[in-house]
Amino acid sequence: KQEVTQIPAALSVPEGENLVLNCSFTDSAIYNLQWFRQDPGKGLTSLLLIQSSQREQTSGRLNASLDKSSGRSTLYIAASQPGDSATYLCAVSETNDMRFGAGTRLTVKP
Amino acid sequence: DAGVIQSPRHEVTEMGQEVTLRCKLISGHNSLFWYRQTMMRGLELLIYFNNNVPIDDSGMPEDRFSAKMPNASFSTLKIQPSEPRDSAVYFCASSTGQGDAFFGQGTRLTVV
């Protein structure tokens, strides 16, 4: 069974810093990997979707990379802002299901 | 499109009562997922449907849980009888089947 792990569980940084969130998965035979953001009391919002044939995706200040062979993905956030404070979850799909990590709770201090 | 719509947003019920959670998919999507989120266990996949057919229900915790998709745009998750340990936020998500996923706002269930 696919297991998804996210490190660190929580991260606090001052505004303006660049940061990296990590995601690892046990079965490299994935269909795609997706990064989500969840604000307190809210649903999940998709940030970036990387297909298994791709190495990275970028959206604004966000860049996600995928290394299938090593079972790893990173989410890079440039020039962090207080509005980036949220929980970030990665999810891997093997067919059309999605298995989530426990998330990284990010706090960006003004 | 209004996105994935879940109802109710909040539900408080007494132990032993039946609870029905509802989800309306985005028009044109053919896959639906039900998840449960708790502090202890994170997001757990309960069941997912493709073209109205349940594909994997291995995440459904017990026989007290059942899910249906009576048509292509609507699904229900029923818990009967409910127990305090069922308290969680329940999310549904719909997909085109191409790996994307759009989540509803969730239903916060409290069983007392």
Side-chain angles (χ1 to χ4, degrees):
Chain A
K1 182 179 175 182
Q2 179 77 268
E3 292 186 7
V4 183
T5 304
Q6 290 188 246
I7 296 173
L11 181 64
S12 181
V13 300
E15 181 177 5
E17 272 202 10
N18 303 324
L19 57 99
V20 175
L21 308 181
N22 297 291
C23 173
S24 61
F25 45 95
T26 53
D27 188 342
S28 61
I30 65 170
Y31 181 59
N32 62 49
L33 183 144
Q34 205 160 172
W35 283 92
F36 290 86
R37 169 184 173 140
Q38 185 177 30
D39 292 285
K42 304 289 187 182
L44 280 72
T45 302
S46 179
L47 298 173
L48 291 164
L49 169 66
I50 310 176
Q51 301 290 352
S52 61
S53 58
Q54 298 174 323
R55 299 279 298 182
E56 66 176 347
Q57 283 286 336
T58 298
S59 176
R61 294 181 294 108
L62 305 180
N63 176 274
S65 67
L66 173 64
D67 185 343
K68 270 182 53 178
S69 60
S70 66
R72 294 180 183 175
S73 176
T74 61
L75 178 67
Y76 175 81
I77 303 177
S80 59
Q81 303 171 357
D84 295 331
S85 298
T87 297
Y88 292 80
L89 300 106
C90 73
V92 299
S93 298
E94 294 178 7
T95 52
N96 198 32
D97 59 338
M98 280 188 300
R99 308 284 172 175
F100 282 82
T104 294
R105 189 172 66 253
L106 173 65
T107 303
V108 181
K109 300 177 181 178
Chain B
D1 199 312
V4 176
I5 300 173
Q6 291 188 245
S7 64
R9 290 295 310 278
H10 303 274
E11 176 82 21
V12 180
T13 190
E14 291 185 346
M15 184 175 70
Q17 297 296 307
E18 176 180 296
V19 174
T20 299
L21 311 182
R22 296 173 175 80
C23 176
K24 183 177 183 300
L25 284 72
I26 293 173
S27 176
H29 285 197
N30 61 2
S31 296
L32 177 125
F33 308 83
W34 280 104
Y35 287 89
R36 177 172 68 176
Q37 188 176 39
T38 62
M39 287 292 292
M40 291 296 293
R41 301 168 72 99
L43 263 169
E44 301 173 279
L45 177 63
L46 301 178
I47 185 171
Y48 78 93
F49 294 83
N50 194 36
N51 293 320
N52 302 5
V53 176
I55 303 300
D56 183 355
D57 65 354
S58 59
M60 296 286 262
E62 299 171 31
D63 291 345
R64 299 184 296 108
F65 286 69
S66 62
K68 293 183 180 179
M69 221 175 147
N71 58 57
S73 61
F74 183 74
S75 178
T76 60
L77 178 67
K78 186 175 293 186
I79 309 173
Q80 166 64 21
S82 57
E83 297 182 4
R85 59 193 169 117
D86 301 330
S87 298
V89 180
Y90 290 81
F91 288 102
C92 74
S94 75
S95 168
T96 61
Q98 300 301 313
D100 55 353
F102 297 83
F103 279 74
Q105 291 296 300
T107 295
R108 181 175 295 278
L109 173 66
T110 304
V111 183
V112 298

